[in-house]
Amino acid sequence: MSGSPRRENVPGAITFRPLTRTDFPMLARWLADDRVHRWWFQDHTDAAVEKDFGPQIDGTEPGEDLVVEIDGRAVGLLQRSRIRDLPEDVAALEPIVGPVPATAWCLDYLIGAETDRGRGLGPRMVTAAVDDTFSRYPEATEILVPVVAANRASWRTLKKAGFVIVASGDIPPDNPVDDPRHHVLRRIRTGTI
């Protein structure tokens, strides 16, 4: 057999807690990692992390920034929001998928440490995020996630977590090196539609 040996899954229970400012140094390290920075094309200086993540902590911008933990160990970040609270996201999605339901939510995620990647954590984390979203927000009927088409690992993770590609189209990418082509994936709450 060729190739590297498959690493074992990351064991433990996945939980979410709100991001706090004490998490900013850890988050900055994650955002500085080359594989994270490739797709989360954000400045990771102290001032930039405060500017980008402070408003959600203060409740002055919609959405949630949550630290993903396994048995109390921080392993990643989950962003969650109701799409209608983000008019620029609605404007980007509607030309591709048609009218965005008022009951649609959106997720974004990252796995922070290289040692946790490639071990099956992504699909588990997304599945836990979907379950938590539908439990916490009973009005949520679906989750839509636009992903740069070139980011195969992300959209494959979403598919493993039960999402289906429902459309593809152009959305301005975060990273200017990317083609604007995105896939939009959807997961519908069981028992709706």
Side-chain angles (χ1 to χ4, degrees), residues 39-82:
W39 303 111
W40 283 66
F41 193 70
Q42 294 182 234
D43 187 353
H44 44 79
T45 63
D46 292 345
V49 171
E50 173 62 40
K51 179 182 177 230
D52 290 342
F53 296 91
Q56 284 83 8
I57 290 171
D58 296 338
T60 59
E61 285 187 6
E64 298 172 276
D65 291 325
L66 304 168
V67 174
V68 181
E69 295 183 331
I70 293 186
D71 293 340
R73 180 177 66 89
V75 296
L77 180 75
L78 172 74
Q79 291 185 313
R80 173 170 59 195
S81 57
R82 185 177 29 228

Side-chain angles (χ1 to χ4, degrees), residues 79-101:
Q79 291 185 313
R80 173 170 59 195
S81 57
R82 185 177 29 228
I83 298 174
R84 76 171 179 211
D85 293 340
L86 305 168
E88 66 280 1
D89 288 1
V90 173
L93 285 169
E94 285 193 336
I96 299 169
V97 298
V100 174

